[in-house]
Amino acid sequence: MLSFASSFLLMTATWALASPLKVLIDPGHGGRDQGAVRGSVIEAEITLAVAKQLDRRLQADKRFRSSLTRTQDHFLSLSDRALLAKTSQADIFVSIHVNANPNSRARGAEFYFQNQLAPDEESMRMAHIENSSDGEPPIFNYPYLEKSKYPADVQAILTDLLDTDRILRSSQLSKALKIGWTRTRKNRLAAIRQAPFYVLSEIKIPSTLVELGFISNPEELKELTQTHVQRQMAEDLHQGLVNYKESLDKKRFNP
């Protein structure tokens, strides 16, 4: 059984090695859900600005194909975003957000992927805030398994293997993005964390949630609203995605 499951995993994971890499960029919040707000500064506007900048860079790079979950200030539920990830047949999902904390000294970028270990208290707090949405969202499965007729026990084994592989790739994606981010921010803080965000656990492709900085920190608040800083953030995220794709290609041709 395990031999069969391992073979299945190798066959169905090839989408992660597709060239060009299809990236779905998710500007967090929007519409009636403004996200974190400080005075006239709104998280949903910052995330959309940076996401559009990133999309432009990826569209100009032949190594990628990219699309956005939203291009305007309109509301999307978490399940809407998960469904878009599924129907777009994206290879990876990058959700962009801005952080906030009661402690105004909190600072730095954070790169989240789905937790395997028990998350810390702060990660749980962030997940609770981001997961707040209307009604009960549907549960998504891997497309191949949705069409299969495997017995329940086989389905469970295959799902577990695919989950493990997806979370591993998500951690690799988060690490690559952090490396790209700190390339021009040698003195800036950046952390990799795990948390049970809905868009990380229900989207069945490698996924990461990026917190660009803290809107509650006066210095970072100023930077987050500056166009040239937003462009630099998008450039660094692009470089992180290049790092991730290069690592995939290296494994593909040198297994």
Side-chain angles (χ1 to χ4, degrees):
M1 179 66 69
L2 289 178
S3 176
F4 165 74
S6 299
S7 299
F8 171 86
L9 180 58
L10 289 172
M11 289 188 294
T12 56
T14 55
W15 45 262
L17 303 174
S19 183
L21 196 67
K22 298 177 184 177
V23 183
L24 181 59
I25 309 167
D26 175 44
H29 306 281
R32 67 173 185 265
D33 175 17
Q34 295 184 323
V37 177
R38 286 296 183 277
S40 61
V41 180
I42 299 171
E43 177 181 359
E45 295 178 355
I46 296 172
T47 63
L48 183 59
V50 174
K52 285 183 174 181
Q53 289 281 358
L54 177 58
D55 182 53
R56 291 190 192 102
R57 282 164 173 75
L58 293 178
Q59 292 285 358
D61 189 334
K62 294 182 180 179
R63 293 169 291 187
F64 298 92
R65 295 287 184 270
S66 66
S67 57
L68 295 160
T69 57
R70 66 180 180 94
T71 58
Q72 299 177 359
D73 184 27
H74 67 261
F75 175 78
L76 281 175
S77 70
L78 296 177
S79 56
D80 287 337
R81 297 170 198 267
L83 184 58
L84 282 170
K86 180 179 179 180
T87 57
S88 69
Q89 297 183 322
D91 296 315
I92 60 174
F93 179 88
V94 179
S95 190
I96 298 176
H97 290 257
V98 173
N99 222 330
N101 193 291
N103 180 3
S104 63
R105 294 183 179 181
R107 61 183 301 141
E110 295 177 337
F111 300 86
Y112 285 89
F113 65 96
Q114 183 183 346
N115 61 302
Q116 289 177 297
L117 304 174
D120 57 55
E121 185 176 340
E122 178 61 18
S123 296
M124 282 297 297
R125 183 185 74 82
M126 287 301 303
H128 176 73
I129 293 172
E130 299 294 354
N131 289 346
S132 300
S133 62
D134 308 284
E136 280 297 319
I139 302 298
F140 293 92
N141 201 349
Y142 295 95
Y144 181 83
L145 293 183
E146 288 182 339
K147 299 176 183 178
S148 70
K149 296 182 180 180
Y150 293 116
D153 58 339
V154 176
Q155 285 260 5
I157 292 172
L158 296 178
T159 298
D160 184 61
L161 284 168
L162 289 168
D163 280 342
T164 299
D165 182 69
R166 173 176 54 82
I167 293 171
L168 173 61
R169 293 179 186 276
S170 296
S171 72
Q172 293 168 342
L173 172 60
S174 297
K175 290 173 184 176
L177 288 172
K178 180 188 174 184
I179 292 172
W181 187 267
T182 55
R183 180 177 59 97
T184 59
R185 290 175 168 76
K186 298 186 187 304
N187 298 321
R188 296 301 177 93
L189 297 174
I192 296 176
R193 303 189 187 280
Q194 298 183 59
F197 291 106
Y198 178 91
V199 292
L200 301 183
S201 59
E202 290 304 324
I203 292 177
K204 301 307 182 183
I205 54 176
S207 308
T208 189
L209 187 147
V210 181
E211 298 280 4
L212 301 171
F214 284 82
I215 199 173
S216 50
N217 180 292
E219 183 180 343
E220 293 196 342
L221 171 64
K222 182 178 179 181
E223 291 181 344
L224 286 164
T225 59
Q226 295 176 337
T227 303
H228 74 280
V229 175
Q230 293 173 353
R231 282 198 297 265
Q232 186 63 62
M233 290 177 171
E235 182 179 329
D236 292 345
L237 291 173
H238 176 200
Q239 183 58 51
L241 291 171
V242 170
N243 295 342
Y244 178 72
K245 187 178 189 309
E246 287 179 348
S247 70
L248 287 182
D249 290 344
K250 187 179 297 183
K251 291 177 183 176
R252 181 182 185 184
F253 297 110
N254 300 283

